[in-house]
């Protein structure tokens, strides 16, 4: 797929915060030739902690929120929007 976006970096002493906004296209083809296409807006927030004096290792954690913007399923000549398959 494709990924594009923007981020900002904030240094707060030994804490690093980098919020991002990404447009993400995800594609999958399964056995039988069906293709699933999904588009998302992802909002990860990278949080880092640096420590040390001479060498400064950084530990990162990054929770992400994902919002589906579109979803399509196609097989041969059949094409449709995704539906909720939960019971």
């Amino acid at each position: 797929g494709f990924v594009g976006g923007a981020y900002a970096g904030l240094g707060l002493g030994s804490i690093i915060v980098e919020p991002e906004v990404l447009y993400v296209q995800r594609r999958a083809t399964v056995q039988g030739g069906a293709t699933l296409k999904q588009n998302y807006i992802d909002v990860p927030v990278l949080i880092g902690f640096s420590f040390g004096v001479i060498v400064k290792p950084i530990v990162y954690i990054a929770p992400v929120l994902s919002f589906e913007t579109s979803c399509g399923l196609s097989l041969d000549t059949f094409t449709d929007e995704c539906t909720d398959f939960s019971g």
Side-chain angles (χ1 to χ4, degrees):
F2 168 81
V3 176
Y7 74 95
L10 306 169
L12 307 170
S14 63
I15 299 173
I16 301 158
V17 179
E18 290 185 10
E20 302 177 18
V21 177
L22 305 172
Y23 174 75
V24 181
Q25 292 181 330
R26 297 179 180 135
R27 306 284 185 260
T29 301
V30 296
Q31 191 174 33
T35 301
L36 176 65
K37 299 177 182 178
Q38 296 175 298
N39 296 320
Y40 286 86
I41 299 293
D42 285 349
V43 184
V45 178
L46 183 67
I47 301 168
F49 303 95
S50 65
F51 51 92
V53 178
I54 297 173
V55 176
K56 293 193 172 216
I58 300 174
V59 176
Y60 288 106
I61 59 173
V64 62
L65 293 172
S66 291
F67 303 97
E68 186 178 75
T69 58
S70 68
C71 180
L73 182 62
S74 63
L75 175 62
D76 297 328
T77 59
F78 172 79
T79 301
D80 198 5
E81 288 294 311
C82 298
T83 58
D84 184 7
F85 295 107
S86 61

